[in-house]
């Protein structure tokens, strides 16, 4: 019998340990991405929830120019953190619409008074049905929708200052 065969089980064990260790050390991307990127928005009609602003429909996104669709909630702490970036995007001329998840008109009004109001329209999604239809798994999430109502990009999580140029580029690419 060849002597090197004695070491074969130990080498196989070492390879298995190395593969498991490599898998454990790799940062896991647990982000749930929408399968709708590159596809049309699902049809929806949401009632208004913010005083003085209209509700939101999927037809609003088929008006010829790209828009952002922000999914947020007044009870969401990261939504507060991204509010300044949404105001920056609005100041840059970006039209932004929103879906408020499991919220009340009073809470949405208070949120917009405290954190600024970047939205043209805000629809109420009391039971998260539209959120789930979008493939959104949490709040906040933002979608870049082209002028034909097709989702061109998705941003999961709060928008940070370093994300603003990427969103502006995604909007420019969606034209």
């Amino acid at each position: 019998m060849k002597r090197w065969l004695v070491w074969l089980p130990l080498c196989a064990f070492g390879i298995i340990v190395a593969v498991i260790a490599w898998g454990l050390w790799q940062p896991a991307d647990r982000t749930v991405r929408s399968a709708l990127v590159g596809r049309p928005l699902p049809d929806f009609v949401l009632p208004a929830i913010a005083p003085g602003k209209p509700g939101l429909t999927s037809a609003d996104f088929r008006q010829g120019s790209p828009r952002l669709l922000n999914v947020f909630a007044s009870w969401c702490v990261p939504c507060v953190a991204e509010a300044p970036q949404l105001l920056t995007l609005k100041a840059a001329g970006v039209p932004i619409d929103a879906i408020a998840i499991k919220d009340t008109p009073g809470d949405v009004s208070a949120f917009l008074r405290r954190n600024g109001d970047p939205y043209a329209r805000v629809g109420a999604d009391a039971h998260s049905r539209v959120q789930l239809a979008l493939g959104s798994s949490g709040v906040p999430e933002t979608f870049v929708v082209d002028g034909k109502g097709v989702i061109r990009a998705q941003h999961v999580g709060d928008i940070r200052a370093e994300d603003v140029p990427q969103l502006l580029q995604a909007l420019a690419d969606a034209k």
Side-chain angles (χ1 to χ4, degrees), residues 102-156:
K102 297 181 180 177
D103 236 318
T104 65
D107 289 343
V108 169
S109 292
F111 178 89
L112 296 176
R113 264 194 318 274
R114 277 191 316 268
N115 303 298
D117 184 359
Y119 305 122
R121 300 178 186 93
V122 182
D125 190 10
H127 303 290
S128 299
R129 288 189 182 112
V130 174
Q131 179 190 26
L132 293 174
L134 285 167
S136 169
S137 60
V139 287
E141 282 192 30
T142 304
F143 297 89
V144 175
V145 184
D146 71 11
K148 296 176 183 171
V150 175
I151 298 172
R152 293 299 175 192
Q154 176 190 24
H155 180 86
V156 178

Side-chain angles (χ1 to χ4, degrees), residues 31-127:
T31 305
V32 178
R33 305 260 179 230
S34 173
L36 292 184
V37 175
R39 303 172 82 188
L41 278 171
D43 288 330
F44 64 86
V45 176
L46 295 174
I49 191 168
K53 295 196 180 281
L56 188 63
T57 72
S58 54
D60 295 327
F61 293 89
R62 295 188 286 263
Q63 304 298 322
S65 62
R67 314 178 66 82
L68 289 182
L69 172 58
N70 182 244
V71 180
F72 83 106
S74 66
W75 43 265
C76 160
V77 174
C79 296
V80 173
E82 80 170 355
Q85 282 64 250
L86 288 172
L87 292 171
T88 299
L89 288 162
K90 179 184 178 186
V94 175
I96 306 170
D97 296 315
I99 297 175
I101 304 299
K102 297 181 180 177
D103 236 318
T104 65
D107 289 343
V108 169
S109 292
F111 178 89
L112 296 176
R113 264 194 318 274
R114 277 191 316 268
N115 303 298
D117 184 359
Y119 305 122
R121 300 178 186 93
V122 182
D125 190 10
H127 303 290

Side-chain angles (χ1 to χ4, degrees), residues 64-66 146-147 152 168-175:
S65 62
D146 71 11
R152 293 299 175 192
L168 290 171
Q169 185 61 50
L171 285 160
D173 293 344
K175 288 184 179 178

